[in-house]
Amino acid sequence: MDKKRHLALITTMVAASMVLELLPIKLFFPLLPYLTFDIGEIPIFFLAFYAGVKDGVLASIALTVLLFMFGTFVPIGPLLKFAAVLSGITGAWTGIKIRRSLYMSFTLSTVLRIAVMTLVNYVVIEYFVPGFLEFLPHYITFLTPMITVLVLTALFNIIQNAVSFFPAYAVWMRFRTA
């Protein structure tokens, strides 16, 4: 692919991702309603499958810059989105390159995303928004409020990663066989 088409592909995927991020089509995660499922990651995952992880990273950075301008809960929200997408596409691409397996790719993507997001969420809650745990409903707390939030956030990330991964993978496979 020549440089102009390559740049056009990246730009198109970032634009599609941003449009999908801004659409009011959000489904709240019922156990932690501040988390929302969205489809804005799908173009970035597709780009990582189609063109490689470097382009996925570049698109993730561009999306993060746009979310700094137009997103919510700035700067924490865009940075958390960046960490989630970056870890997800890195794991997905690695799984494809190592084993060329859908299941390996999804598993690596999900495990890496959960590990990164657990660490990042712990740091954000502990050091940047320490009073946050006081707002957690006590009826869903098990062990400690921090463990509850991290476990429920991991569950959210499993589902969100599936929402992002599988449609992007399906479209990529369609392009590969066309």
Side-chain angles (χ1 to χ4, degrees), residues 83-101:
V85 173
L86 185 64
S87 58
I89 63 171
T90 301
W93 184 82
T94 302
I96 292 296
K97 290 301 171 192
I98 291 174
R99 301 275 292 234
R100 300 206 182 275
S101 162

Side-chain angles (χ1 to χ4, degrees), residues 4-178:
K4 287 181 184 178
R5 287 181 189 218
H6 191 105
L7 184 58
L9 174 65
I10 294 170
T11 304
T12 301
M13 291 301 107
V14 171
S17 188
M18 190 63 197
V19 167
L20 293 171
E21 285 287 337
L22 293 176
L23 286 176
I25 305 171
K26 305 279 189 220
L27 179 62
F28 292 96
F29 183 54
L31 300 173
L32 294 174
Y34 61 88
L35 296 174
T36 56
F37 298 108
D38 67 73
I39 57 175
E41 298 174 12
I42 295 171
I44 307 293
F45 270 76
F46 168 76
L47 183 64
F49 287 132
Y50 184 78
V53 75
K54 287 182 195 175
D55 291 338
V57 170
L58 182 61
S60 297
I61 292 168
L63 177 63
T64 302
V65 169
L66 290 171
L67 288 174
F68 266 94
M69 294 185 287
F70 303 107
T72 58
F73 198 47
V74 176
I76 294 173
L79 291 173
L80 288 172
K81 174 64 98 174
F82 176 71
V85 173
L86 185 64
S87 58
I89 63 171
T90 301
W93 184 82
T94 302
I96 292 296
K97 290 301 171 192
I98 291 174
R99 301 275 292 234
R100 300 206 182 275
S101 162
L102 167 69
Y103 301 108
M104 174 63 77
S105 182
F106 178 70
T107 300
L108 281 175
S109 177
T110 304
V111 167
L112 187 57
R113 182 176 181 140
I114 289 170
V116 167
M117 294 314 294
T118 298
L119 176 64
V120 169
N121 275 284
Y122 177 81
V123 169
V124 166
I125 292 168
E126 188 69 26
Y127 298 104
F128 295 101
V129 286
F132 173 77
L133 294 175
E134 296 172 15
F135 296 102
L136 185 66
H138 294 289
Y139 61 86
I140 64 168
T141 302
F142 45 91
L143 296 177
T144 68
M146 179 66 85
I147 291 173
T148 300
V149 167
L150 295 178
V151 167
L152 293 176
T153 302
L155 177 59
F156 166 82
N157 277 299
I158 292 168
I159 299 166
Q160 177 62 52
N161 206 53
V163 166
S164 302
F165 179 96
F166 289 112
Y169 186 87
V171 171
W172 175 61
M173 289 305 292
R174 187 85 166 121
F175 269 82
R176 284 185 61 188
T177 59

